[in-house]
Amino acid sequence: MEQTVRQAAQLAKAASMGMATTSGEQRNAALHAMAQALRDNTAGIVAANDADMEAARAKGTPAPLLDRLMLDAGRIEGMASALEDLAALPEPLGVVQQERTLDSGVRLQRVSVPMGVVAMVYEARPNVTADAAGICVKTGNACILRGGSLAIHSCLAIADVLHAAAVSAGLPENCIIPVRTTDRSATDELLTMRGLVDLLIPRGGAGLIQHCIDNATVPVIETGVGNCHVYVHAPADIDMALNIVMNAKTQRPGVCNAIESLLVDREIAPELLAAVLPALHGAGVVIHGDEAAQAAGAAAGVPIIPATEEDWATEYLDLEIAVKAVDGVDEAIAHINRYGTNHSECIVTSDEDAAERFLAQVDASSVYWNASTRFTDGGEFGLGAEIGISTQKLHARGPFALEALCSYKYLLRGDGQVRG
């Protein structure tokens, strides 16, 4: 197995040399071919996904994870359309970022170039296979795709279709390589392949991401764990707050930009929670609450589980939420900065000063005023297909795509200069 993974990385490294010399026209043509190949092979991909879904149900996989895993014709069309959207984006390579003539007369340019080999390690989201492969193709990188065991048939079916289409369109052989083993040691191999893997991006649960951060000797972009909050500050429009909370919690609870906690100013807690708690309960949300939330729940006839310290730090990824009353914006900011994961946070208020303080002081990659955290997404941000949401500060932060998979080099042109 070790040799197989290393061979894959060696093949990808060789392919990356060829990818770096492809033209934007070649890579865009490959993206269109990959999109059409997904459409042409929809039935086979769905059949592979059916096998994964059957095995996942047999294991008792929670409904939100099943939703992430499931593919149908509509989702495959979405993957194909995302590849075409990528092709329509501006060329990311060869962009002159700086240009000047040095005192020596040497002409300097800083231009964007591919990273080289990008390894993606991800779990039960087979659509990541297409997003990652497409973004790597657009940016001239070779990619290694290591999908999780829960989605292995789906990921391999998609990767094989995309690889064949990319090569048929003229891109180097091995520009897209899936890891075919489900052995977890394959991930550990990729984490330590300095000189072969130029960048590793994990997408999945907290355990996977932390394991990669703790054990990698190659550069890693930390992504995605989302203990996100909505904070309702007095004064706030109750109807607006209700709509935002319900969208951020229930529209798709198994994704990283869904909220896991609701904070509310104590002075408006009775009024707000009288509206929000029954709505959440009616949508099937299990509610964990502090004493204020428990009192509001009793008044509204809504069962509330007493919240523990653990609840404030939990990413449920399900129809569950923690609810807490706070004494103003400073306590809300302190709570979020203690328990949040630097992902997406929201304040609902009509007080501009409080909103601006929240926007400035909350430490997260995306901070909202009067809008749902569900907008934290590469497509919604106009980035095209998204390869991840970074919760770190160096290199990439928030939803990232093309720019984060490019590096740069200095090109210097002279006519015989030497340094004295």
Side-chain angles (χ1 to χ4, degrees), residues 225-231 244 256-263 312 332-333 335-348 358-359 361-374 376:
V225 176
N227 185 18
C228 306
H229 302 72
V230 164
Y231 162 52
I244 289 173
C256 59
N257 57 20
I259 64 166
E260 309 293 9
S261 290
L262 168 64
L263 306 179
W312 310 131
I333 292 170
H335 181 95
I336 290 169
N337 287 342
R338 177 178 178 182
Y339 295 103
T341 53
N342 312 114
H343 195 296
S344 301
E345 308 292 352
C346 166
I347 182 173
V348 181
F358 187 91
L359 293 171
Q361 294 182 10
V362 166
D363 186 9
S365 69
S366 301
V367 188
Y368 294 83
W369 175 16
N370 292 345
S372 171
T373 58
R374 288 285 289 115
T376 303

mmCIF file of all heavy atoms in Angstrom, residues 225-231 244 256-263 312 332-333 335-348 358-359 361-374 376:
data_model
loop_
_atom_site.group_PDB
_atom_site.id
_atom_site.type_symbol
_atom_site.label_atom_id
_atom_site.label_comp_id
_atom_site.label_asym_id
_atom_site.label_seq_id
_atom_site.Cartn_x
_atom_site.Cartn_y
_atom_site.Cartn_z
ATOM 1 N N VAL A 225 -14.221 23.145 10.089
ATOM 2 C CA VAL A 225 -15.030 22.856 11.264
ATOM 3 C C VAL A 225 -15.824 24.111 11.609
ATOM 4 O O VAL A 225 -15.267 25.188 11.755
ATOM 5 C CB VAL A 225 -14.150 22.425 12.452
ATOM 6 C CG1 VAL A 225 -15.005 22.227 13.695
ATOM 7 C CG2 VAL A 225 -13.415 21.140 12.108
ATOM 8 N N GLY A 226 -17.142 23.969 11.752
ATOM 9 C CA GLY A 226 -17.994 25.151 11.865
ATOM 10 C C GLY A 226 -18.872 25.163 13.097
ATOM 11 O O GLY A 226 -20.046 24.786 13.007
ATOM 12 N N ASN A 227 -18.343 25.594 14.233
ATOM 13 C CA ASN A 227 -19.205 25.881 15.384
ATOM 14 C C ASN A 227 -19.620 27.346 15.251
ATOM 15 O O ASN A 227 -18.998 28.252 15.818
ATOM 16 C CB ASN A 227 -18.475 25.623 16.698
ATOM 17 C CG ASN A 227 -19.390 25.805 17.899
ATOM 18 O OD1 ASN A 227 -20.616 25.792 17.781
ATOM 19 N ND2 ASN A 227 -18.808 26.005 19.073
ATOM 20 N N CYS A 228 -20.669 27.585 14.468
ATOM 21 C CA CYS A 228 -21.089 28.932 14.078
ATOM 22 C C CYS A 228 -22.250 29.403 14.959
ATOM 23 O O CYS A 228 -23.017 28.584 15.481
ATOM 24 C CB CYS A 228 -21.523 28.953 12.617
ATOM 25 S SG CYS A 228 -20.280 28.286 11.467
ATOM 26 N N HIS A 229 -22.386 30.726 15.091
ATOM 27 C CA HIS A 229 -23.381 31.322 15.979
ATOM 28 C C HIS A 229 -24.210 32.373 15.251
ATOM 29 O O HIS A 229 -23.713 33.067 14.359
ATOM 30 C CB HIS A 229 -22.708 32.034 17.162
ATOM 31 C CG HIS A 229 -21.831 31.172 18.005
ATOM 32 N ND1 HIS A 229 -20.604 30.701 17.568
ATOM 33 C CD2 HIS A 229 -21.987 30.708 19.276
ATOM 34 C CE1 HIS A 229 -20.047 29.975 18.538
ATOM 35 N NE2 HIS A 229 -20.863 29.971 19.584
ATOM 36 N N VAL A 230 -25.459 32.519 15.687
ATOM 37 C CA VAL A 230 -26.236 33.741 15.453
ATOM 38 C C VAL A 230 -26.438 34.396 16.812
ATOM 39 O O VAL A 230 -26.849 33.731 17.782
ATOM 40 C CB VAL A 230 -27.596 33.457 14.789
ATOM 41 C CG1 VAL A 230 -28.517 34.680 14.924
ATOM 42 C CG2 VAL A 230 -27.420 33.122 13.313
ATOM 43 N N TYR A 231 -26.114 35.682 16.868
ATOM 44 C CA TYR A 231 -26.325 36.464 18.085
ATOM 45 C C TYR A 231 -27.385 37.518 17.793
ATOM 46 O O TYR A 231 -27.234 38.328 16.873
ATOM 47 C CB TYR A 231 -25.026 37.126 18.525
ATOM 48 C CG TYR A 231 -25.195 38.276 19.497
ATOM 49 C CD1 TYR A 231 -25.950 38.138 20.667
ATOM 50 C CD2 TYR A 231 -24.596 39.506 19.244
ATOM 51 C CE1 TYR A 231 -26.108 39.201 21.549
ATOM 52 C CE2 TYR A 231 -24.737 40.575 20.123
ATOM 53 C CZ TYR A 231 -25.498 40.419 21.266
ATOM 54 O OH TYR A 231 -25.657 41.473 22.124
ATOM 55 N N ILE A 244 -33.619 34.334 9.974
ATOM 56 C CA ILE A 244 -32.191 34.048 9.858
ATOM 57 C C ILE A 244 -31.826 32.802 10.651
ATOM 58 O O ILE A 244 -31.101 31.921 10.169
ATOM 59 C CB ILE A 244 -31.361 35.268 10.304
ATOM 60 C CG1 ILE A 244 -31.484 36.388 9.263
ATOM 61 C CG2 ILE A 244 -29.893 34.895 10.522
ATOM 62 C CD1 ILE A 244 -30.835 37.694 9.671
ATOM 63 N N CYS A 256 -20.971 22.866 7.184
ATOM 64 C CA CYS A 256 -20.146 23.572 8.161
ATOM 65 C C CYS A 256 -20.564 25.021 8.369
ATOM 66 O O CYS A 256 -20.156 25.640 9.357
ATOM 67 C CB CYS A 256 -18.677 23.518 7.763
ATOM 68 S SG CYS A 256 -18.296 24.231 6.145
ATOM 69 N N ASN A 257 -21.380 25.608 7.476
ATOM 70 C CA ASN A 257 -21.808 26.996 7.694
ATOM 71 C C ASN A 257 -23.196 27.091 8.329
ATOM 72 O O ASN A 257 -23.756 28.178 8.432
ATOM 73 C CB ASN A 257 -21.745 27.813 6.404
ATOM 74 C CG ASN A 257 -22.578 27.227 5.277
ATOM 75 O OD1 ASN A 257 -23.485 26.434 5.508
ATOM 76 N ND2 ASN A 257 -22.275 27.624 4.052
ATOM 77 N N ALA A 258 -23.744 25.967 8.754
ATOM 78 C CA ALA A 258 -24.972 25.988 9.558
ATOM 79 C C ALA A 258 -24.614 26.370 10.994
ATOM 80 O O ALA A 258 -23.532 26.050 11.477
ATOM 81 C CB ALA A 258 -25.637 24.618 9.549
ATOM 82 N N ILE A 259 -25.521 27.067 11.677
ATOM 83 C CA ILE A 259 -25.217 27.481 13.040
ATOM 84 C C ILE A 259 -25.434 26.323 14.009
ATOM 85 O O ILE A 259 -26.262 25.435 13.783
ATOM 86 C CB ILE A 259 -26.047 28.702 13.486
ATOM 87 C CG1 ILE A 259 -27.552 28.385 13.529
ATOM 88 C CG2 ILE A 259 -25.731 29.907 12.619
ATOM 89 C CD1 ILE A 259 -28.374 29.433 14.268
ATOM 90 N N GLU A 260 -24.679 26.366 15.108
ATOM 91 C CA GLU A 260 -24.807 25.374 16.170
ATOM 92 C C GLU A 260 -25.259 26.010 17.479
ATOM 93 O O GLU A 260 -25.660 25.298 18.399
ATOM 94 C CB GLU A 260 -23.478 24.649 16.379
ATOM 95 C CG GLU A 260 -22.849 24.084 15.115
ATOM 96 C CD GLU A 260 -23.639 22.947 14.479
ATOM 97 O OE1 GLU A 260 -24.782 22.690 14.909
ATOM 98 O OE2 GLU A 260 -23.121 22.323 13.540
ATOM 99 N N SER A 261 -25.161 27.340 17.591
ATOM 100 C CA SER A 261 -25.557 28.033 18.813
ATOM 101 C C SER A 261 -26.308 29.311 18.481
ATOM 102 O O SER A 261 -26.015 29.986 17.486
ATOM 103 C CB SER A 261 -24.339 28.389 19.668
ATOM 104 O OG SER A 261 -23.750 27.244 20.223
ATOM 105 N N LEU A 262 -27.266 29.631 19.352
ATOM 106 C CA LEU A 262 -28.004 30.887 19.296
ATOM 107 C C LEU A 262 -27.742 31.648 20.588
ATOM 108 O O LEU A 262 -27.983 31.119 21.674
ATOM 109 C CB LEU A 262 -29.502 30.615 19.124
ATOM 110 C CG LEU A 262 -30.449 31.804 19.338
ATOM 111 C CD1 LEU A 262 -30.200 32.895 18.300
ATOM 112 C CD2 LEU A 262 -31.902 31.342 19.301
ATOM 113 N N LEU A 263 -27.253 32.861 20.462
ATOM 114 C CA LEU A 263 -27.076 33.759 21.592
ATOM 115 C C LEU A 263 -28.104 34.879 21.479
ATOM 116 O O LEU A 263 -28.367 35.368 20.373
ATOM 117 C CB LEU A 263 -25.665 34.359 21.605
ATOM 118 C CG LEU A 263 -24.489 33.380 21.567
ATOM 119 C CD1 LEU A 263 -23.169 34.149 21.557
ATOM 120 C CD2 LEU A 263 -24.544 32.411 22.740
ATOM 121 N N TRP A 312 -21.590 24.226 24.315
ATOM 122 C CA TRP A 312 -21.158 25.492 23.696
ATOM 123 C C TRP A 312 -20.049 25.264 22.678
ATOM 124 O O TRP A 312 -19.860 26.086 21.775
ATOM 125 C CB TRP A 312 -20.680 26.471 24.768
ATOM 126 C CG TRP A 312 -21.614 26.671 25.921
ATOM 127 C CD1 TRP A 312 -21.304 26.633 27.243
ATOM 128 C CD2 TRP A 312 -23.035 26.943 25.861
ATOM 129 N NE1 TRP A 312 -22.415 26.855 28.017
ATOM 130 C CE2 TRP A 312 -23.495 27.051 27.196
ATOM 131 C CE3 TRP A 312 -23.953 27.105 24.819
ATOM 132 C CZ2 TRP A 312 -24.822 27.317 27.511
ATOM 133 C CZ3 TRP A 312 -25.287 27.356 25.140
ATOM 134 C CH2 TRP A 312 -25.706 27.458 26.451
ATOM 135 N N ALA A 332 -21.332 38.477 24.181
ATOM 136 C CA ALA A 332 -21.537 37.652 22.984
ATOM 137 C C ALA A 332 -20.226 37.469 22.223
ATOM 138 O O ALA A 332 -19.881 36.355 21.797
ATOM 139 C CB ALA A 332 -22.590 38.281 22.080
ATOM 140 N N ILE A 333 -19.487 38.549 22.031
ATOM 141 C CA ILE A 333 -18.205 38.463 21.325
ATOM 142 C C ILE A 333 -17.238 37.559 22.075
ATOM 143 O O ILE A 333 -16.564 36.708 21.479
ATOM 144 C CB ILE A 333 -17.612 39.875 21.139
ATOM 145 C CG1 ILE A 333 -18.468 40.684 20.145
ATOM 146 C CG2 ILE A 333 -16.167 39.796 20.650
ATOM 147 C CD1 ILE A 333 -18.106 42.157 20.075
ATOM 148 N N HIS A 335 -17.933 35.132 24.154
ATOM 149 C CA HIS A 335 -18.384 33.736 24.054
ATOM 150 C C HIS A 335 -18.000 33.147 22.696
ATOM 151 O O HIS A 335 -17.475 32.025 22.614
ATOM 152 C CB HIS A 335 -19.902 33.677 24.248
ATOM 153 C CG HIS A 335 -20.462 32.284 24.178
ATOM 154 N ND1 HIS A 335 -20.690 31.510 25.283
ATOM 155 C CD2 HIS A 335 -20.835 31.520 23.102
ATOM 156 C CE1 HIS A 335 -21.178 30.332 24.909
ATOM 157 N NE2 HIS A 335 -21.277 30.319 23.589
ATOM 158 N N ILE A 336 -18.260 33.887 21.626
ATOM 159 C CA ILE A 336 -17.964 33.389 20.277
ATOM 160 C C ILE A 336 -16.463 33.185 20.097
ATOM 161 O O ILE A 336 -16.021 32.166 19.541
ATOM 162 C CB ILE A 336 -18.539 34.355 19.223
ATOM 163 C CG1 ILE A 336 -20.070 34.271 19.231
ATOM 164 C CG2 ILE A 336 -17.982 34.037 17.840
ATOM 165 C CD1 ILE A 336 -20.744 35.360 18.433
ATOM 166 N N ASN A 337 -15.676 34.136 20.542
ATOM 167 C CA ASN A 337 -14.223 34.002 20.382
ATOM 168 C C ASN A 337 -13.651 32.874 21.234
ATOM 169 O O ASN A 337 -12.590 32.333 20.923
ATOM 170 C CB ASN A 337 -13.529 35.317 20.703
ATOM 171 C CG ASN A 337 -13.728 36.359 19.610
ATOM 172 O OD1 ASN A 337 -14.095 36.021 18.476
ATOM 173 N ND2 ASN A 337 -13.491 37.611 19.930
ATOM 174 N N ARG A 338 -14.352 32.481 22.291
ATOM 175 C CA ARG A 338 -13.902 31.349 23.108
ATOM 176 C C ARG A 338 -14.301 30.012 22.504
ATOM 177 O O ARG A 338 -13.499 29.081 22.433
ATOM 178 C CB ARG A 338 -14.466 31.463 24.520
ATOM 179 C CG ARG A 338 -14.094 30.270 25.407
ATOM 180 C CD ARG A 338 -14.619 30.416 26.827
ATOM 181 N NE ARG A 338 -14.291 29.254 27.636
ATOM 182 C CZ ARG A 338 -14.648 29.093 28.900
ATOM 183 N NH1 ARG A 338 -15.348 30.052 29.524
ATOM 184 N NH2 ARG A 338 -14.318 28.001 29.565
ATOM 185 N N TYR A 339 -15.548 29.907 22.057
ATOM 186 C CA TYR A 339 -16.072 28.606 21.637
ATOM 187 C C TYR A 339 -16.165 28.430 20.120
ATOM 188 O O TYR A 339 -16.299 27.300 19.646
ATOM 189 C CB TYR A 339 -17.465 28.383 22.237
ATOM 190 C CG TYR A 339 -17.472 28.290 23.738
ATOM 191 C CD1 TYR A 339 -17.905 29.355 24.524
ATOM 192 C CD2 TYR A 339 -17.035 27.131 24.384
ATOM 193 C CE1 TYR A 339 -17.919 29.270 25.907
ATOM 194 C CE2 TYR A 339 -17.044 27.035 25.768
ATOM 195 C CZ TYR A 339 -17.487 28.118 26.525
ATOM 196 O OH TYR A 339 -17.483 28.031 27.891
ATOM 197 N N GLY A 340 -16.132 29.500 19.372
ATOM 198 C CA GLY A 340 -16.264 29.394 17.921
ATOM 199 C C GLY A 340 -15.026 28.789 17.289
ATOM 200 O O GLY A 340 -13.980 28.617 17.924
ATOM 201 N N THR A 341 -15.150 28.475 15.998
ATOM 202 C CA THR A 341 -14.060 27.835 15.266
ATOM 203 C C THR A 341 -13.556 28.700 14.131
ATOM 204 O O THR A 341 -13.013 28.195 13.144
ATOM 205 C CB THR A 341 -14.521 26.468 14.734
ATOM 206 O OG1 THR A 341 -15.735 26.641 13.990
ATOM 207 C CG2 THR A 341 -14.744 25.482 15.865
ATOM 208 N N ASN A 342 -13.747 30.016 14.246
ATOM 209 C CA ASN A 342 -13.205 30.974 13.269
ATOM 210 C C ASN A 342 -13.811 30.799 11.878
ATOM 211 O O ASN A 342 -13.161 31.096 10.875
ATOM 212 C CB ASN A 342 -11.674 30.860 13.185
ATOM 213 C CG ASN A 342 -11.008 30.842 14.539
ATOM 214 O OD1 ASN A 342 -10.419 29.837 14.935
ATOM 215 N ND2 ASN A 342 -11.121 31.923 15.283
ATOM 216 N N HIS A 343 -15.042 30.326 11.830
ATOM 217 C CA HIS A 343 -15.686 30.033 10.543
ATOM 218 C C HIS A 343 -16.628 31.175 10.139
ATOM 219 O O HIS A 343 -16.222 32.087 9.402
ATOM 220 C CB HIS A 343 -16.428 28.707 10.648
ATOM 221 C CG HIS A 343 -16.832 28.111 9.335
ATOM 222 N ND1 HIS A 343 -17.730 28.705 8.487
ATOM 223 C CD2 HIS A 343 -16.460 26.947 8.738
ATOM 224 C CE1 HIS A 343 -17.887 27.947 7.416
ATOM 225 N NE2 HIS A 343 -17.126 26.874 7.532
ATOM 226 N N SER A 344 -17.880 31.135 10.607
ATOM 227 C CA SER A 344 -18.900 32.103 10.208
ATOM 228 C C SER A 344 -19.749 32.485 11.415
ATOM 229 O O SER A 344 -20.254 31.603 12.113
ATOM 230 C CB SER A 344 -19.798 31.528 9.105
ATOM 231 O OG SER A 344 -19.034 31.174 7.972
ATOM 232 N N GLU A 345 -19.921 33.783 11.622
ATOM 233 C CA GLU A 345 -20.661 34.277 12.775
ATOM 234 C C GLU A 345 -21.570 35.425 12.335
ATOM 235 O O GLU A 345 -21.235 36.165 11.410
ATOM 236 C CB GLU A 345 -19.708 34.770 13.870
ATOM 237 C CG GLU A 345 -18.631 33.772 14.276
ATOM 238 C CD GLU A 345 -19.160 32.544 14.983
ATOM 239 O OE1 GLU A 345 -20.371 32.511 15.305
ATOM 240 O OE2 GLU A 345 -18.369 31.608 15.228
ATOM 241 N N CYS A 346 -22.711 35.581 13.036
ATOM 242 C CA CYS A 346 -23.716 36.564 12.619
ATOM 243 C C CYS A 346 -24.255 37.321 13.810
ATOM 244 O O CYS A 346 -24.510 36.741 14.872
ATOM 245 C CB CYS A 346 -24.859 35.850 11.883
ATOM 246 S SG CYS A 346 -26.343 36.857 11.652
ATOM 247 N N ILE A 347 -24.470 38.632 13.622
ATOM 248 C CA ILE A 347 -25.215 39.441 14.568
ATOM 249 C C ILE A 347 -26.467 39.943 13.870
ATOM 250 O O ILE A 347 -26.426 40.359 12.706
ATOM 251 C CB ILE A 347 -24.382 40.636 15.102
ATOM 252 C CG1 ILE A 347 -25.187 41.444 16.145
ATOM 253 C CG2 ILE A 347 -23.880 41.526 13.978
ATOM 254 C CD1 ILE A 347 -24.378 42.528 16.845
ATOM 255 N N VAL A 348 -27.599 39.882 14.581
ATOM 256 C CA VAL A 348 -28.855 40.456 14.099
ATOM 257 C C VAL A 348 -29.177 41.632 15.000
ATOM 258 O O VAL A 348 -29.376 41.470 16.206
ATOM 259 C CB VAL A 348 -29.997 39.426 14.127
ATOM 260 C CG1 VAL A 348 -31.290 40.048 13.583
ATOM 261 C CG2 VAL A 348 -29.621 38.181 13.320
ATOM 262 N N PHE A 358 -19.102 44.185 16.544
ATOM 263 C CA PHE A 358 -19.136 42.736 16.324
ATOM 264 C C PHE A 358 -18.318 42.363 15.087
ATOM 265 O O PHE A 358 -17.494 41.439 15.118
ATOM 266 C CB PHE A 358 -20.596 42.308 16.163
ATOM 267 C CG PHE A 358 -20.824 40.824 16.096
ATOM 268 C CD1 PHE A 358 -21.067 40.087 17.243
ATOM 269 C CD2 PHE A 358 -20.832 40.161 14.880
ATOM 270 C CE1 PHE A 358 -21.304 38.719 17.187
ATOM 271 C CE2 PHE A 358 -21.065 38.794 14.808
ATOM 272 C CZ PHE A 358 -21.297 38.077 15.964
ATOM 273 N N LEU A 359 -18.516 43.089 13.995
ATOM 274 C CA LEU A 359 -17.797 42.801 12.756
ATOM 275 C C LEU A 359 -16.294 42.929 12.947
ATOM 276 O O LEU A 359 -15.507 42.157 12.383
ATOM 277 C CB LEU A 359 -18.257 43.739 11.647
ATOM 278 C CG LEU A 359 -19.699 43.581 11.151
ATOM 279 C CD1 LEU A 359 -20.068 44.714 10.209
ATOM 280 C CD2 LEU A 359 -19.913 42.238 10.471
ATOM 281 N N GLN A 361 -14.526 42.796 15.969
ATOM 282 C CA GLN A 361 -13.896 42.081 17.071
ATOM 283 C C GLN A 361 -14.090 40.567 17.042
ATOM 284 O O GLN A 361 -13.342 39.844 17.702
ATOM 285 C CB GLN A 361 -14.406 42.629 18.405
ATOM 286 C CG GLN A 361 -13.988 44.073 18.654
ATOM 287 C CD GLN A 361 -14.452 44.597 20.009
ATOM 288 O OE1 GLN A 361 -14.938 43.842 20.856
ATOM 289 N NE2 GLN A 361 -14.314 45.887 20.200
ATOM 290 N N VAL A 362 -15.066 40.074 16.323
ATOM 291 C CA VAL A 362 -15.249 38.625 16.239
ATOM 292 C C VAL A 362 -14.169 38.037 15.328
ATOM 293 O O VAL A 362 -13.959 38.498 14.208
ATOM 294 C CB VAL A 362 -16.657 38.271 15.713
ATOM 295 C CG1 VAL A 362 -16.727 36.808 15.304
ATOM 296 C CG2 VAL A 362 -17.694 38.559 16.786
ATOM 297 N N ASP A 363 -13.489 37.018 15.823
ATOM 298 C CA ASP A 363 -12.384 36.404 15.096
ATOM 299 C C ASP A 363 -12.906 35.226 14.284
ATOM 300 O O ASP A 363 -12.978 34.096 14.762
ATOM 301 C CB ASP A 363 -11.312 35.934 16.094
ATOM 302 C CG ASP A 363 -10.062 35.415 15.397
ATOM 303 O OD1 ASP A 363 -9.947 35.578 14.174
ATOM 304 O OD2 ASP A 363 -9.204 34.844 16.090
ATOM 305 N N ALA A 364 -13.310 35.518 13.064
ATOM 306 C CA ALA A 364 -13.832 34.477 12.170
ATOM 307 C C ALA A 364 -13.519 34.869 10.734
ATOM 308 O O ALA A 364 -13.297 36.049 10.427
ATOM 309 C CB ALA A 364 -15.333 34.290 12.361
ATOM 310 N N SER A 365 -13.551 33.891 9.853
ATOM 311 C CA SER A 365 -13.224 34.168 8.460
ATOM 312 C C SER A 365 -14.340 34.922 7.745
ATOM 313 O O SER A 365 -14.088 35.649 6.789
ATOM 314 C CB SER A 365 -12.932 32.863 7.713
ATOM 315 O OG SER A 365 -14.103 32.081 7.570
ATOM 316 N N SER A 366 -15.596 34.755 8.215
ATOM 317 C CA SER A 366 -16.739 35.452 7.626
ATOM 318 C C SER A 366 -17.646 35.907 8.758
ATOM 319 O O SER A 366 -18.092 35.087 9.570
ATOM 320 C CB SER A 366 -17.519 34.528 6.670
ATOM 321 O OG SER A 366 -16.688 34.068 5.619
ATOM 322 N N VAL A 367 -17.913 37.210 8.825
ATOM 323 C CA VAL A 367 -18.729 37.775 9.893
ATOM 324 C C VAL A 367 -19.874 38.562 9.253
ATOM 325 O O VAL A 367 -19.644 39.422 8.407
ATOM 326 C CB VAL A 367 -17.899 38.683 10.826
ATOM 327 C CG1 VAL A 367 -18.733 39.089 12.039
ATOM 328 C CG2 VAL A 367 -16.623 37.972 11.283
ATOM 329 N N TYR A 368 -21.107 38.274 9.674
ATOM 330 C CA TYR A 368 -22.316 38.793 9.039
ATOM 331 C C TYR A 368 -23.075 39.750 9.954
ATOM 332 O O TYR A 368 -23.103 39.567 11.175
ATOM 333 C CB TYR A 368 -23.263 37.642 8.686
ATOM 334 C CG TYR A 368 -22.759 36.705 7.629
ATOM 335 C CD1 TYR A 368 -21.895 35.655 7.948
ATOM 336 C CD2 TYR A 368 -23.142 36.845 6.295
ATOM 337 C CE1 TYR A 368 -21.437 34.781 6.976
ATOM 338 C CE2 TYR A 368 -22.694 35.972 5.316
ATOM 339 C CZ TYR A 368 -21.843 34.945 5.665
ATOM 340 O OH TYR A 368 -21.389 34.077 4.703
ATOM 341 N N TRP A 369 -23.710 40.698 9.323
ATOM 342 C CA TRP A 369 -24.666 41.569 10.001
ATOM 343 C C TRP A 369 -26.002 41.407 9.283
ATOM 344 O O TRP A 369 -26.127 41.718 8.116
ATOM 345 C CB TRP A 369 -24.182 43.019 9.962
ATOM 346 C CG TRP A 369 -25.121 44.052 10.531
ATOM 347 C CD1 TRP A 369 -26.204 43.850 11.326
ATOM 348 C CD2 TRP A 369 -25.034 45.472 10.339
ATOM 349 N NE1 TRP A 369 -26.810 45.031 11.645
ATOM 350 C CE2 TRP A 369 -26.110 46.061 11.057
ATOM 351 C CE3 TRP A 369 -24.162 46.301 9.641
ATOM 352 C CZ2 TRP A 369 -26.337 47.431 11.070
ATOM 353 C CZ3 TRP A 369 -24.376 47.677 9.662
ATOM 354 C CH2 TRP A 369 -25.464 48.225 10.383
ATOM 355 N N ASN A 370 -26.980 40.864 9.970
ATOM 356 C CA ASN A 370 -28.337 40.690 9.442
ATOM 357 C C ASN A 370 -28.382 39.825 8.181
ATOM 358 O O ASN A 370 -29.085 40.139 7.216
ATOM 359 C CB ASN A 370 -28.997 42.051 9.161
ATOM 360 C CG ASN A 370 -29.296 42.829 10.428
ATOM 361 O OD1 ASN A 370 -29.277 42.276 11.527
ATOM 362 N ND2 ASN A 370 -29.577 44.117 10.284
ATOM 363 N N ALA A 371 -27.644 38.718 8.182
ATOM 364 C CA ALA A 371 -27.715 37.767 7.067
ATOM 365 C C ALA A 371 -27.274 36.402 7.567
ATOM 366 O O ALA A 371 -26.430 36.286 8.463
ATOM 367 C CB ALA A 371 -26.838 38.220 5.898
ATOM 368 N N SER A 372 -27.830 35.364 6.967
ATOM 369 C CA SER A 372 -27.568 33.992 7.388
ATOM 370 C C SER A 372 -26.125 33.588 7.114
ATOM 371 O O SER A 372 -25.538 33.931 6.086
ATOM 372 C CB SER A 372 -28.512 33.041 6.646
ATOM 373 O OG SER A 372 -28.161 31.693 6.873
ATOM 374 N N THR A 373 -25.573 32.788 8.029
ATOM 375 C CA THR A 373 -24.233 32.239 7.835
ATOM 376 C C THR A 373 -24.170 31.259 6.673
ATOM 377 O O THR A 373 -23.073 30.903 6.213
ATOM 378 C CB THR A 373 -23.763 31.509 9.103
ATOM 379 O OG1 THR A 373 -24.704 30.469 9.429
ATOM 380 C CG2 THR A 373 -23.656 32.475 10.272
ATOM 381 N N ARG A 374 -25.313 30.817 6.180
ATOM 382 C CA ARG A 374 -25.331 29.854 5.063
ATOM 383 C C ARG A 374 -24.770 30.432 3.772
ATOM 384 O O ARG A 374 -24.519 29.704 2.812
ATOM 385 C CB ARG A 374 -26.760 29.361 4.843
ATOM 386 C CG ARG A 374 -27.266 28.430 5.905
ATOM 387 C CD ARG A 374 -26.665 27.024 5.768
ATOM 388 N NE ARG A 374 -27.223 26.364 4.594
ATOM 389 C CZ ARG A 374 -26.532 26.006 3.520
ATOM 390 N NH1 ARG A 374 -25.230 26.219 3.443
ATOM 391 N NH2 ARG A 374 -27.128 25.430 2.503
ATOM 392 N N THR A 376 -21.782 31.560 3.467
ATOM 393 C CA THR A 376 -20.341 31.315 3.399
ATOM 394 C C THR A 376 -20.087 30.131 2.476
ATOM 395 O O THR A 376 -20.142 28.968 2.873
ATOM 396 C CB THR A 376 -19.766 31.048 4.796
ATOM 397 O OG1 THR A 376 -20.059 32.159 5.640
ATOM 398 C CG2 THR A 376 -18.251 30.884 4.727
#
